[in-house]
Amino acid sequence: MTAPEITAPELTTVAFDQLEDRYIVTLDRPERRNAINAAMIGELHQVCTAIERDPRPLILVGRGDHFAGGADIGELRERGLNEALAGINRTLFDRVAALPMPVVGAISGYALGGGAELAYACDIRIASATAVFGNPEPGLGILAAAGATYRLPELVGASVAKQVILAGHRLDAEAALRHGLVMEITDDPLAAAHAVVDRIVAQAPLAIRLAKTIVDAPGSHPWVNDIAQAVLFGTDDKRHRMTAFLERGARTTPDNK
């Protein structure tokens, strides 16, 4: 089943490109450093719906010099108790993190506040040398409540996460690489993200989907691995891939060189 096309008039804050084997979502408010407002939240939910119907890897990138400079402060100032309890941003970022296939973030410039939390929701992050991650929310009288408090400690450890969330420390690209937050630093993170997705789509789609689900599942459940492996062992894809591997090996033995 092919995902329904989302036409340009329906999307004003993001661009959604549907390729044969991947999606590209571009945060598209460069004049506001791609600040995440209510309209963008709604449009990203539309995008998630399309991706969930036809799962493929996703690349997330920001238009211009920045990934996302944060949430829209003007809108946040007017939110009250009910909006906070609704977890408006958190619900979206949790949905992005739970997408069936891997999400690769191509990060340049600012990934701050809600922008950082959206980056944390990606499975893999690739940075340019200009990338900066941070969570300045307490300085605005609020909490980094859209994923930073539970995702960042898993990504970089509790000590570094506390430095970012409690002390306002920012991680530049080198620090993010050193702490494992990003996979690599490159002049062209979007091209590098495509290269990562090239490697992902060359692998068995069901194996990638199950592996992501198991890695993200809380706790240790070895029996889940056994069940997932049993499913994969019964697929034609597994047999074809292993047969091809063995045939390649036979063709490269010393007697056949």
Side-chain angles (χ1 to χ4, degrees):
M1 180 178 180
T2 301
E5 292 288 334
I6 297 179
T7 57
E10 297 178 37
L11 298 176
T12 60
T13 66
V14 302
F16 184 41
D17 295 311
Q18 305 177 70
L19 307 184
E20 183 178 354
D21 60 358
R22 71 198 65 186
Y23 299 106
I24 307 164
V25 169
T26 305
L27 309 181
D28 198 8
R29 299 183 72 209
E31 73 285 354
R32 299 295 302 274
R33 294 176 175 170
N34 298 319
I36 300 169
N37 62 0
M40 185 180 287
I41 292 289
E43 292 181 1
L44 287 172
H45 273 298
Q46 291 183 55
V47 166
C48 285
T49 296
I51 295 173
E52 289 160 354
R53 289 175 180 170
D54 185 12
R56 306 173 210 170
L58 167 64
I59 294 173
L60 269 176
V61 65
R63 181 88 65 200
D65 295 331
H66 301 282
F67 179 71
D72 189 297
I73 303 303
E75 289 187 359
L76 281 182
R77 184 183 60 183
E78 302 308 314
R79 289 183 186 176
L81 181 146
N82 288 333
E83 289 81 6
L85 291 177
I88 294 170
N89 290 20
R90 177 195 57 77
T91 300
L92 171 69
F93 301 162
D94 285 353
R95 190 176 184 185
V96 170
L99 287 172
M101 294 294 280
V103 180
V104 181
I107 315 296
S108 295
Y110 289 152
L112 302 177
E117 291 176 303
L118 178 56
Y120 304 156
C122 297
D123 297 293
I124 297 169
R125 287 153 295 278
I126 297 171
S128 75
T130 65
V132 179
F133 300 84
N135 289 98
E137 286 90 342
L140 296 170
I142 60 174
L143 176 69
T149 57
Y150 51 93
R151 286 200 179 91
L152 191 57
E154 291 188 353
L155 293 169
V156 301
S159 177
V160 175
K162 287 179 179 179
Q163 293 169 38
V164 173
I165 295 171
L166 304 181
H169 179 59
R170 293 184 176 185
L171 300 177
D172 62 17
E174 291 291 343
L177 180 65
R178 186 168 64 251
H179 293 300
L181 182 59
V182 302
M183 178 179 174
E184 65 176 296
I185 301 171
T186 175
D187 291 337
D188 192 341
L190 180 56
H194 276 291
V196 170
V197 172
D198 288 342
R199 296 196 292 273
I200 290 171
V201 299
Q203 301 179 80
L206 183 57
I208 292 293
R209 183 168 179 173
L210 290 175
K212 173 176 174 172
T213 300
I214 292 170
V215 169
D216 285 344
S220 175
H221 303 292
W223 56 271
V224 174
N225 289 273
D226 296 340
I227 293 171
Q229 193 75 300
V231 170
L232 293 169
F233 271 27
T235 62
D236 290 337
D237 195 14
K238 170 254 190 181
R239 178 164 292 278
H240 292 155
R241 286 171 179 271
M242 290 191 174
T243 298
F245 177 86
L246 293 171
E247 290 176 348
R248 287 196 300 272
R251 289 196 296 269
T252 57
T253 59
D255 292 339
N256 294 318
K257 285 184 178 179

